[in-house]
């Protein structure tokens, strides 16, 4: 009879141990999954910001060349460039709003500074001066975002062990 009790207790202990290990394994897997999903969201936010800023800078570059070389594109092409700029700006503003949940504070601050620069754009003597100013502001924000993204995402990835 003692052997039956011993085997029963041993079986219950093994079952209890298996339940504890299973619970820990599920907890670790869930934590890793959430961490990876958050990393993916952060990557998407950084990518969207960089893509939008790059498009805005590219369009300013086109406008700069048109002024420097005194070449105007067709009204249809101008409309297309303006539409693409508005889309890039809208995408950037949307990403910044969403990014407040997932982007690091220094990146949020850099993007907020850029938004203030755009919102409070000063008067310039020429359109070329304004374009060069905006290209500088976009370039600075773009480089800061890329640098912070590389640092932040590589640190996050390293924390995941992957």
């Amino acid at each position: 009879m003692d052997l039956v009790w011993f085997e029963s207790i041993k079986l219950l202990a093994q079952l209890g141990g298996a339940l504890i290990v299973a619970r820990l394994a599920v907890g670790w897997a869930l934590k890793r999954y959430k961490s990876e999903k958050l990393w993916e969201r952060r990557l998407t936010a950084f990518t969207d910001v960089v893509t939008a800023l790059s498009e805005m800078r590219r369009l300013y570059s086109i406008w700069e060349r048109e002024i420097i070389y005194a070449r105007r594109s067709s009204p249809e092409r101008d409309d297309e460039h303006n539409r693409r700029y508005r889309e890039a700006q809208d995408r950037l503003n949307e990403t910044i709003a969403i990014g407040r949940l997932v982007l690091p504070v220094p990146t949020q601050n850099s993007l907020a500074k850029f938004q203030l620069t755009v919102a409070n754009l000063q008067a310039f003597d020429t359109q070329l001066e304004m374009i060069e100013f905006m290209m500088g502001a976009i370039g600075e924000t773009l480089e800061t975002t890329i640098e912070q993204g590389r640092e932040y995402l590589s640190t996050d990835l390293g924390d995941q062990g992957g």
Side-chain angles (χ1 to χ4, degrees):
M1 194 67 171
D2 288 333
L3 185 60
V4 172
W5 277 106
F6 176 74
E7 289 298 320
S8 296
I9 291 172
K10 187 170 112 177
L11 184 61
L12 285 174
Q14 288 174 345
L15 179 63
L19 288 174
I20 290 171
V21 168
R23 173 77 172 133
L24 289 173
V26 167
W28 289 328
L30 184 59
K31 182 179 177 183
R32 180 175 176 101
Y33 173 78
K34 287 180 180 180
S35 176
E36 288 173 357
K37 290 307 260 181
L38 181 58
W39 186 88
E40 289 172 9
R41 286 187 180 109
R42 288 176 176 152
L43 174 63
T44 299
F46 274 111
T47 303
D48 288 349
V49 167
V50 168
T51 301
L53 287 170
S54 295
E55 177 70 358
M56 292 167 71
R57 183 171 66 175
R58 192 180 77 71
L59 290 165
Y60 271 116
S61 179
I62 290 170
W63 292 327
E64 179 184 46
R65 283 193 310 269
E66 288 177 353
I67 291 171
I68 290 172
Y69 297 112
R71 294 185 192 143
R72 292 297 300 165
S73 58
S74 68
E76 296 82 21
R77 191 86 165 138
D78 283 342
D79 289 344
E80 174 69 13
H81 289 156
N82 289 331
R83 182 190 62 77
R84 289 174 59 186
Y85 183 82
R86 282 190 308 276
E87 286 175 359
Q89 196 170 31
D90 290 346
R91 186 172 53 245
L92 178 65
N93 290 334
E94 181 181 304
T95 302
I96 289 172
I98 294 168
R100 294 185 63 136
L101 296 172
V102 296
L103 291 175
V105 173
T107 304
Q108 291 178 36
N109 292 341
S110 173
L111 295 170
K113 177 184 169 192
F114 176 74
Q115 283 183 308
L116 280 174
T117 298
V118 172
N120 299 317
L121 198 58
Q122 61 193 35
F124 291 91
D125 292 333
T126 67
Q127 188 176 11
L128 184 59
E129 288 178 359
M130 185 275 299
I131 288 172
E132 289 173 346
F133 175 82
M134 284 302 297
M135 285 181 65
I138 290 170
E140 178 184 327
T141 306
L142 184 59
E143 291 308 312
T144 300
T145 302
I146 290 170
E147 180 182 314
Q148 290 171 348
R150 282 182 180 153
E151 179 181 330
Y152 191 69
L153 292 172
S154 67
T155 301
D156 270 2
L157 189 58
D159 290 345
Q160 291 181 26

